[in-house]
Amino acid sequence: MQGPDLRYRALLDTLVLTERRALFELLEPDTQRRLLLSVAPCRSGTVRILIDELQPFKARYRVPDVITGEPQCEQLRVERQTKDSVTLTWSSGRHRVCVWHLPFRLEILSGDEVVVTFNSKGKLWFEALQDPSRAASNGSKPQDDDAGLWKETFQQFVDIKANGPTSIGADLRLHGFSHVYGLPEHADSLQLRDTSEGAPYRLYNLDVFAYALYSRLGLYGSVPLLVAHKPDRTVGVFWLNASETFVNVHYSSSDPQVNFAVESLSCLLAPFRTPKHTLHTDVHWLSESGVIDCMILLGPDPQQLFTQYAQLTGYQALPPLFSLGYHQCRWNYNDEADVRAVDAGFDRHNIPYDVIWLDIEHTDGKRYFTWDPALFPDPVGLQRHLEQKKRKLVVISDPHIKVDPDWSLYCEARDGGHFVKDRDGQIYQGSCWPGESCYLDYSSPATRAWYSRHFALNKYKGSTPSLFVWNDMNEPSVFGGPEQTMPKDAVHYGGWEHRELHNLYGFYQHMATVEGLITRSGGSERPFVLSRSFFAGSQRFAVWTGDNVATWEYLKISIPMVLSLSVAGIAFCGADVGGFVQDPEPELLVRWYQAGSLQPFFRGHSAIETKRREPWLFGDEVTAAIRAVIQQRYCLLPYWYTLFHQAHTSGLPPLRPLWVEFPREQSTFTVDNQYMIGGALLACPVTEPGAQEVTVVLPGTSEIWYDVHSAETYKGGKTLTLPVTLDTVSVDPHLQSRGGVVTKLSDQNPDCLPLPLQGGAAGELYLDDGHSFSYRDRKAFCLRRFSMLSGRLNASEEGDFECDGVIQSVTILGVKSKPSTVTVRVSGEELSMYVRHVRTDIQKDKNLSCTNPHSQAQQPM
């Protein structure tokens, strides 16, 4: 990370322009190392920088299966060339790339503004692969390898590097930026911290039980996407590498207040001069192996950046509707009777839920795809019992396979060559829940296909179509292994060492499980699979934040953690409600339910040694508070489902930091205790014990906000202090011309469409059957768009899905006087009706209310 600083030069006379890219040779004079630089601009608004050895003695690892399709590249042309630089442009010429000879650097410009500089500080680093036989003969592989370059010792473990040290790295300067985000998963603030005086951010998937807070060490998943934002631009850096990676972040001023003041001054001076950037952020990446494959996402706004990233790595999968409801989980429910009793408890206490989960104890001796014959003798009957109430069962399936010569699945995997090997070519054995275990090599397409077939109903005995899956321990977790994971010199499909693809292991198991459930249904039904480990592209599936602790600090950190995941494209995410480890006090449990209900994935979960914590075990007051929270979640399900449709089609995450919706308001750039749910709801969960009030930032100086319960109005651009009680869920709707329509329309409870009178509103409601791919294959969906302008409510519809849902009432907010009539136009016909009820109490009255379109009032009726 610290050096030495090599002075690579770009050999400009080696330029070759192809249909898809520009190629240059790079030379480091001292070592005479030659690299090949490829620059490829894509139509989506990204620039791909790829650097590899010019002539490696064998191919280096390049991450497969994450980029969903070959990006459509633009034809480059030379705009200007001198002895010092070559400037390339493409398409309309709005963007340019300038490659400098000495020292080598690559600038990406938008107009005349340099947005990103690659190798700005000369940190380009590339260790060549070495042939062990040649290395030994020329003395570069000493017998006594004191530096640990070929043979590294960590505690009692020995890591032998087959081709010597192979690390790669580079630095980038983000001009004018002083706020960067992303790089999950870390239990840290939303904005990345300056690492000048501390450890870098580490991306290395590990099983970290009760992880440390405000730490830059790696957790269960890794997404090497960094997002930078300033008032007039958003850019991203996607570093496509699956080996252990470190990222240093250095702000030009490490004091956020100084950065804020300088940004503000620059904005004030902008009308009088073209300011040179006084601010910048330097980002330095270093990975253990692979190639440099770096994609610059040029935005320029947050929504466009999210779309660009989704076009590269895949859009959020549209989840089945049930998976957006409440999930009840525990390690472990004891037996079938226990599951039925918990299920009945939800009915008895009138608390809705959709899914109950079984952890590892449901299996026969930790053998996955089996059931304990004594505890779960009739799993099909159990699933049918739940299915009668439209509820689902989720079971766990980990990647380790118990070493058991009498178990057919183990023998099949062993004989089929489906296990990871050790460096000597033998099947690698580690330890996990079953004891001695072998680990499936999901990087092999043949292994993934073999594994997927085991989810077929005729192979997975005791399963039904209402059974779904949870992938855990897939970092992979190896008890007693180096950092409790697999040795880096284990060998995968294709002869690749584990070090090359470590961060992809869980991604591949997740992929294989999803494909198994899709295949089970013949390709007709949407799967639901939760994974603890993840990588870029895992947004095609679902994840959670792992083994948290039942404390107020973990509740608080869960918010920036899920926001970081959302910014990095992992939209379907959440934290275990109540904390996995230890026993929450009743107040903490209620507050966690409130916070969890405002996150995409909503699951209560607890460890085996904790006390039982079903919602009705803490007294009537707590039960009532939790019931109200979960019921509110179900009232908002159509809104959540519509947001996931947006994520599925545009890449825009349901959970959004405030700056995504208010990109020019610098006061929002560091806020990570509140956030937007879509464009219409602002959430500010209570995360302090004994809280009697909560401070809420209302962004948007020209915006109007409404309290979701009382419909009281507030002007934006202010900070409010609001009183709270134990049953207060802090969420406010934002219904303005740029906001969304908040709906509470469900199959069971068609209800109200609230609209503001001020200015106007626009939004949409997405509906389909909630479970199949018919929306994709036969356009069996209904997308209803609503707009309110000048006292007129308009609605349009797209798609071929027939639904029975109706809007029973329309509430117009901001009415001063009672309207006399309402005119409804349907298919050219005009009907007039008198308003018989005016809604003066938003909470109690459910009759139709409309407005006088000429009213200029600010108060709701």
Side-chain angles (χ1 to χ4, degrees):
M1 295 294 288
Q2 296 178 353
D5 295 334
L6 303 178
R7 288 176 62 83
Y8 277 91
R9 59 186 64 182
L11 305 180
L12 303 183
D13 58 353
T14 64
L15 168 64
V16 175
L17 293 178
T18 73
E19 285 187 278
R20 303 180 59 83
R21 56 184 59 86
L23 301 173
F24 295 87
E25 291 184 22
L26 305 179
L27 173 67
E28 203 290 303
D30 294 340
T31 62
Q32 287 297 298
R33 180 163 297 150
R34 286 179 177 262
L35 306 175
L36 182 63
L37 164 69
S38 168
V39 182
C42 305
R43 292 180 185 175
S44 61
T46 65
V47 176
R48 189 172 192 174
I49 301 168
L50 184 64
I51 299 178
D52 198 351
E53 296 181 55
L54 181 63
Q55 293 180 322
F57 91 90
K58 71 174 187 179
R60 298 177 72 109
Y61 187 77
R62 297 191 182 190
V63 174
D65 301 313
V66 170
I67 302 298
T68 54
E70 191 66 26
Q72 291 185 311
C73 295
E74 299 273 12
Q75 175 76 55
L76 283 159
R77 62 181 182 272
V78 176
E79 182 180 84
R80 183 171 179 268
Q81 185 165 5
T82 70
K83 64 181 180 62
D84 297 317
S85 67
V86 174
T87 301
L88 306 168
T89 190
W90 60 95
S91 188
S92 65
R94 182 164 59 99
H95 295 108
R96 291 177 290 160
V97 169
C98 185
V99 179
W100 292 87
H101 165 55
L102 182 66
F104 159 66
R105 67 184 187 277
L106 186 152
E107 295 175 339
I108 300 176
L109 299 90
S110 178
D112 294 327
E113 177 189 358
V114 179
V115 179
V116 177
T117 300
F118 180 89
N119 201 40
S120 65
K121 299 176 72 176
K123 293 289 186 182
L124 177 60
W125 177 260
F126 212 104
E127 293 183 302
L129 295 177
Q130 299 181 64
D131 184 337
S133 59
R134 293 182 182 179
S137 63
N138 65 24
S140 62
K141 181 186 176 185
Q143 296 300 316
D144 298 322
D145 183 20
D146 295 334
L149 299 180
W150 286 77
K151 181 179 179 181
E152 185 175 356
T153 301
F154 172 72
Q155 296 175 353
Q156 73 269 32
F157 306 102
V158 176
D159 175 23
I160 296 178
K161 303 169 187 178
N163 297 112
T166 58
S167 65
I168 54 100
D171 70 280
L172 298 97
R173 175 161 293 181
L174 311 175
H175 297 274
F177 293 92
S178 60
H179 296 87
V180 295
Y181 314 89
L183 300 183
E185 182 178 35
H186 299 93
D188 208 349
S189 57
L190 172 62
Q191 182 185 355
L192 300 180
R193 291 183 287 160
D194 190 294
T195 62
S196 300
E197 302 300 325
Y201 285 94
R202 187 189 191 198
L203 298 175
Y204 193 64
N205 297 355
L206 292 172
D207 177 1
V208 187
F209 182 78
Y211 43 82
L213 302 184
Y214 301 102
S215 168
R216 301 169 199 163
L217 297 177
L219 293 181
Y220 309 97
S222 299
V223 182
L225 173 68
L226 180 143
V227 176
H229 179 70
K230 60 180 180 176
D232 60 348
R233 183 175 292 277
T234 309
V235 301
V237 179
F238 178 43
W239 181 268
L240 183 55
N241 192 292
S243 67
E244 181 178 8
T245 297
F246 293 98
V247 187
N248 265 326
V249 176
H250 178 59
Y251 297 108
S252 54
S253 171
S254 59
D255 185 347
Q257 296 301 320
V258 173
N259 287 338
F260 180 84
V262 175
E263 280 185 344
S264 302
L265 181 60
S266 297
C267 292
L268 290 172
L269 294 177
F272 306 104
R273 63 178 176 86
T274 303
K276 295 183 179 179
H277 293 304
T278 54
L279 290 175
H280 61 262
T281 298
D282 289 318
V283 183
H284 182 198
W285 303 76
L286 185 73
S287 294
E288 183 173 2
S289 59
V291 299
I292 293 175
D293 193 354
C294 179
M295 280 153 268
I296 311 300
L297 287 63
L298 294 172
D301 62 41
Q303 289 81 359
Q304 288 172 294
L305 182 135
F306 292 134
T307 299
Q308 289 160 357
Y309 181 68
Q311 288 173 337
L312 287 173
T313 63
Y315 288 85
Q316 166 67 49
L318 183 62
L321 182 59
F322 78 81
S323 64
L324 297 180
Y326 175 64
H327 301 246
Q328 181 67 30
C329 184
R330 177 174 174 81
W331 175 27
N332 201 86
Y333 286 117
N334 299 326
D335 50 28
E336 288 180 7
D338 195 9
V339 174
R340 288 173 182 263
V342 173
D343 175 70
F346 278 91
D347 293 335
R348 187 168 62 255
H349 293 90
N350 194 28
I351 301 174
Y353 89 106
D354 268 274
V355 192
I356 193 164
W357 295 51
L358 295 178
D359 212 312
I360 54 177
E361 313 301 336
H362 84 277
T363 62
D364 183 6
K366 312 300 189 301
R367 298 171 182 85
Y368 304 106
F369 298 99
T370 70
W371 305 84
D372 186 301
L375 303 179
F376 292 90
D378 184 18
V380 171
L382 178 62
Q383 291 163 69
R384 287 176 178 166
H385 170 77
L386 296 170
E387 183 61 30
Q388 288 175 354
K389 305 177 185 181
K390 297 185 178 181
R391 290 170 180 159
K392 316 298 180 187
L393 183 68
V394 168
V395 295
I396 201 165
S397 184
D398 292 348
H400 49 262
I401 301 297
K402 180 182 178 68
V403 175
D404 180 0
D406 296 325
W407 182 24
S408 61
L409 188 141
Y410 166 77
C411 295
E412 227 182 290
R414 179 196 61 196
D415 299 343
H418 295 305
F419 288 129
V420 177
K421 306 290 196 301
D422 63 21
R423 63 173 174 256
D424 297 319
Q426 303 302 308
I427 293 176
Y428 168 74
Q429 288 194 10
S431 177
C432 208
W433 297 122
E436 280 300 302
S437 303
C438 299
Y439 288 75
L440 291 171
D441 184 6
Y442 297 101
S443 69
S444 164
T447 298
R448 292 200 300 274
W450 172 84
Y451 181 78
S452 294
R453 289 192 290 271
H454 280 78
F455 290 98
L457 298 178
N458 63 343
K459 289 188 74 76
Y460 190 173
K461 303 302 183 183
S463 68
T464 73
S466 64
L467 183 76
F468 297 88
V469 183
W470 167 23
N471 294 149
D472 197 7
M473 313 297 286
N474 54 345
E475 294 73 28
S477 178
V478 181
F479 296 166
E483 294 192 273
Q484 195 152 309
T485 192
M486 189 175 287
K488 290 181 175 180
D489 55 6
V491 180
H492 289 263
Y493 164 78
W496 296 110
E497 289 186 295
H498 183 71
R499 79 181 77 253
E500 306 277 3
L501 52 87
H502 171 83
N503 288 344
L504 281 175
Y505 187 87
F507 167 86
Y508 273 132
Q509 190 205 10
H510 205 178
M511 175 190 293
T513 308
V514 166
E515 290 172 350
L517 295 191
I518 292 175
T519 303
R520 180 183 74 180
S521 71
S524 64
E525 296 294 313
R526 285 176 252 168
F528 171 73
V529 181
L530 183 78
S531 176
R532 189 170 73 177
S533 184
F534 54 87
F535 191 67
S538 290
Q539 63 267 22
R540 281 127 54 186
F541 320 119
V543 308
W544 92 104
T545 62
D547 296 343
N548 54 3
V549 181
T551 69
W552 290 93
E553 290 75 16
Y554 278 85
L555 168 60
K556 190 178 300 183
I557 203 69
S558 71
I559 298 171
M561 287 182 75
V562 295
L563 288 175
S564 294
L565 287 165
S566 298
V567 167
I570 309 290
F572 198 3
C573 58
D576 282 342
V577 169
F580 178 67
V581 188
Q582 299 179 11
D583 298 308
E585 59 193 76
E587 182 191 6
L588 174 59
L589 185 64
V590 170
R591 292 303 188 200
W592 214 317
Y593 267 97
Q594 292 168 349
S597 72
L598 302 175
Q599 295 174 3
F601 179 60
F602 183 26
R603 179 182 76 159
H605 187 33
S606 54
I608 195 168
E609 69 275 5
T610 63
K611 298 176 182 177
R612 294 291 286 258
R613 62 169 81 145
E614 284 74 40
W616 51 86
L617 298 179
F618 298 83
D620 292 344
E621 182 184 9
V622 170
T623 302
I626 294 175
R627 179 191 300 114
V629 165
I630 297 178
Q631 287 176 345
Q632 177 178 277
R633 169 68 172 217
Y634 278 87
C635 286
L636 288 172
L637 268 191
Y639 181 61
W640 279 106
Y641 199 51
T642 299
L643 292 179
F644 271 93
H645 168 259
Q646 292 176 359
H648 180 58
T649 55
S650 71
L652 193 59
L655 251 60
R656 304 166 194 172
L658 296 186
W659 56 263
V660 172
E661 289 294 317
F662 302 90
R664 293 187 173 273
E665 295 195 22
Q666 297 180 45
S667 60
T668 67
F669 292 2
T670 58
V671 175
D672 61 7
N673 65 328
Q674 63 182 73
Y675 51 89
M676 295 294 295
I677 305 174
L681 290 178
L682 183 148
C684 183
V686 180
T687 59
E688 296 289 344
Q692 296 182 336
E693 60 184 25
V694 63
T695 301
V696 182
V697 175
L698 294 182
T701 54
S702 61
E703 310 291 349
I704 300 294
W705 296 83
Y706 296 84
D707 184 281
V708 75
H709 299 294
S710 69
E712 185 176 352
T713 61
Y714 302 95
K715 289 185 177 181
K718 297 181 179 179
T719 299
L720 298 179
T721 300
L722 301 174
V724 295
T725 61
L726 185 62
D727 60 356
T728 300
V729 183
S730 293
V731 53
D732 293 296
H734 163 238
L735 296 162
Q736 249 284 346
S737 57
R738 58 180 299 283
V741 172
V742 182
T743 66
K744 292 194 293 183
L745 180 65
S746 66
D747 291 340
Q748 295 79 22
N749 184 29
D751 199 359
C752 172
L753 178 71
L755 294 159
L757 185 64
Q758 296 91 349
E764 59 189 30
L765 172 66
Y766 175 82
L767 301 166
D768 61 23
D769 65 15
H771 61 86
S772 78
F773 286 110
S774 295
Y775 75 92
R776 179 195 66 191
D777 300 334
R778 296 193 293 273
K779 295 190 182 298
F781 65 87
C782 176
L783 181 60
R784 291 175 174 170
R785 293 186 172 92
F786 302 90
S787 63
M788 180 74 180
L789 189 64
S790 301
R792 184 187 297 270
L793 169 62
N794 296 302
S796 63
E797 191 170 297
E798 175 187 343
D800 298 326
F801 179 66
E802 295 291 335
C803 60
D804 298 327
V806 294
I807 298 172
Q808 290 187 341
S809 65
V810 177
T811 299
I812 309 295
L813 305 176
V815 181
K816 184 176 181 180
S817 59
K818 176 181 176 180
S820 55
T821 61
V822 177
T823 302
V824 180
R825 293 181 176 87
V826 181
S827 301
E829 297 184 14
E830 183 173 304
L831 302 172
S832 293
M833 63 185 72
Y834 288 96
V835 178
R836 299 176 62 183
H837 298 278
V838 175
R839 190 168 180 175
T840 57
D841 186 327
I842 297 297
Q843 301 229 53
K844 297 177 182 177
D845 193 324
K846 291 192 176 180
N847 294 308
L848 177 68
S849 60
C850 297
T851 66
N852 180 342
H854 303 293
S855 169
Q856 300 299 317
Q858 299 297 312
Q859 297 300 318
M861 296 190 68

